[in-house]
Amino acid sequence: ACKRFLGKVRDGLIKSAITDFHIDSIVIVMENYGKGWKDIALFLVSLLRYKGLRIHTMGLSGRIKSTLIMRDYGLDFDDALAVQALKDLSTNVIVSYDEDFDSINWIKRYIPEKLV
């Protein structure tokens, strides 16, 4: 389901966004699994092919606001940053398997299976 969802984003059939922080988090996980610079470069360059993908840059202000979301909703920083990105992008939809987002009443969480 994830592969099909990402294929639709790649082809521009689904519009989506990811934060620069979450891209960096993926790179760190790749490093932790022993991936080297070539694999990381390939991953990052591959993002350019995703017609429906927008990279949302989270500045210091957004990171500071995220700490308030952590406080208000009991989320970790990673999830709070995603919530702040939703606010920045004026949307209430997130695609995630993480049920922590269900505690926020204005967010509509979908899993990839529901979108493909």
Side-chain angles (χ1 to χ4, degrees):
C2 292
K3 190 173 185 177
R4 289 193 314 271
F5 171 74
L6 290 173
K8 288 185 176 191
V9 173
R10 182 196 60 229
D11 297 341
L13 301 172
I14 293 177
K15 301 293 182 200
S16 66
I18 188 170
T19 69
D20 55 346
F21 171 87
H22 292 97
I23 291 172
D24 292 342
S25 296
I26 293 167
V27 169
I28 290 167
V29 169
M30 290 175 71
E31 280 188 308
N32 289 341
Y33 279 92
K35 300 296 183 183
W37 70 269
K38 285 183 182 179
D39 293 314
I40 293 169
L42 182 62
F43 163 67
L44 293 172
V45 169
S46 75
L47 295 178
L48 297 172
R49 292 188 0 233
Y50 283 72
K51 297 174 186 170
L53 184 64
R54 173 180 173 184
I55 310 298
H56 180 66
T57 302
M58 297 297 298
L60 185 57
S61 173
R63 285 171 165 81
I64 293 167
K65 290 175 186 175
S66 296
T67 64
L68 301 177
I69 293 169
M70 291 173 73
R71 178 196 68 195
D72 294 345
Y73 295 101
L75 299 176
D76 62 19
F77 184 73
D78 181 17
D79 290 350
L81 201 66
V83 172
Q84 183 58 47
L86 294 176
K87 288 183 173 190
D88 292 348
L89 296 167
S90 300
T91 187
N92 65 338
V93 175
I94 193 164
V95 179
S96 177
Y97 290 107
D98 190 338
E99 294 177 355
D100 291 341
F101 295 111
D102 296 343
S103 67
I104 304 172
N105 63 359
W106 59 268
I107 292 179
K108 293 181 183 178
R109 181 180 65 87
Y110 294 97
I111 58 173
E113 288 84 351
K114 294 288 185 183
L115 301 173
V116 293

